[in-house]
Amino acid sequence: MSSYASSVSADGSVIAGTLYPNNGTGTTARAFRLTSSTGIVPLPSFHGLGSRADGVSADGSVVVGQVEYEAGGPVAFRWTSADGFSQPYCNAEANSTSCFGRLNASGSPLVGANSLALSATKLPANAFGFFLTSRDQGSTFPVNNSQGRLCLGGFIGRYVGPGQIKNSGAAGTFSLAIDLTSMPQPFGSAAVQPGETWNFQAWHRDANPALTSNFTDAVSVMFQ
């Protein structure tokens, strides 16, 4: 893994640069933002393409750079601190509330911090559900006994252990703290390694109008 810094905020507390997880270039490159409290935090992938950071604002809240499109040349991007570190992908199908279930990731992508949390929102009230994870993305529709779209591929792990099956309650939301040292997989558990990208989604029960199920959209997180 290699990296280089390209810009620094006015007070020197925030650095922007580019990370090469595989010591490579092109689509492996990822713009990052660095502070003393977070360490290197890769910015979200832009449509799965590589990116590089060219500058950071005086207060460190905005990073600008280029997405490395292979055809047509690079395209500029602008990231703000409100955008977070996870990358949404794969549109959800509407559930019985006529809304699309949403998945949000919070905390930190730093493996050593082990502080990632997931939250599923815009769900039907009082619906049971759980989170899913995989290293691979996918898009499967239709899914048996479901009105939703499965956005994961490959080996898919389910968070169905003690305390992990959730109820959305009156607010139509549930959340879970993720242990990065024990990611569920079909044949056991795995520990997240720096440089890996994992994908997450939530499944939930629904009645629309008959008993069925659905999924939220999905997010990907590149861990550092």
Side-chain angles (χ1 to χ4, degrees):
M1 182 178 297
S2 61
S3 61
Y4 71 86
S6 57
S7 186
V8 62
S9 63
D11 64 1
S13 64
V14 180
I15 295 172
T18 304
L19 176 72
Y20 296 98
N22 300 313
N23 292 324
T25 58
T27 58
T28 65
R30 183 72 66 86
F32 71 79
R33 181 175 179 269
L34 166 67
T35 71
S36 60
S37 61
T38 66
I40 291 179
V41 176
L43 303 190
S45 172
F46 299 89
H47 306 289
L49 299 170
S51 61
R52 79 177 193 216
D54 295 325
V56 64
S57 61
D59 66 358
S61 65
V62 179
V63 177
V64 295
Q66 300 182 58
V67 178
E68 302 294 343
Y69 281 93
E70 294 182 1
V75 175
F77 76 82
R78 178 180 182 272
W79 176 94
T80 74
S81 56
D83 293 331
F85 58 83
S86 63
Q87 174 66 34
Y89 73 94
C90 187
N91 293 332
E93 303 293 325
N95 56 47
S96 60
T97 69
S98 299
C99 294
F100 304 93
R102 295 295 306 274
L103 185 66
N104 300 294
S106 60
S108 172
L110 298 176
V111 173
N114 198 13
S115 63
L116 182 72
L118 301 177
S119 178
T121 63
K122 298 188 176 181
L123 307 181
N126 302 309
F128 285 97
F130 53 82
F131 294 100
L132 307 166
T133 188
S134 176
R135 292 183 178 92
D136 299 314
Q137 297 182 3
S139 181
T140 302
F141 182 83
V143 177
N144 289 340
N145 303 314
S146 179
Q147 295 180 346
R149 181 181 300 275
L150 177 63
C151 300
L152 305 180
F155 295 113
I156 300 174
R158 303 186 299 168
Y159 286 93
V160 293
Q164 294 179 337
I165 297 177
K166 300 295 184 176
N167 187 289
S168 63
T173 182
F174 57 73
S175 60
L176 180 70
I178 301 301
D179 182 1
L180 301 184
T181 69
S182 184
M183 306 285 280
Q185 291 289 272
F187 305 105
S189 62
V192 174
Q193 301 300 317
E196 288 185 340
T197 296
W198 285 75
N199 307 285
F200 302 92
Q201 190 175 22
W203 172 94
H204 63 87
R205 288 286 188 190
D206 201 1
N208 194 26
L211 184 64
T212 185
S213 67
N214 209 318
F215 298 87
T216 63
D217 63 359
V219 299
S220 66
V221 177
M222 180 181 176
F223 290 96
Q224 170 61 31

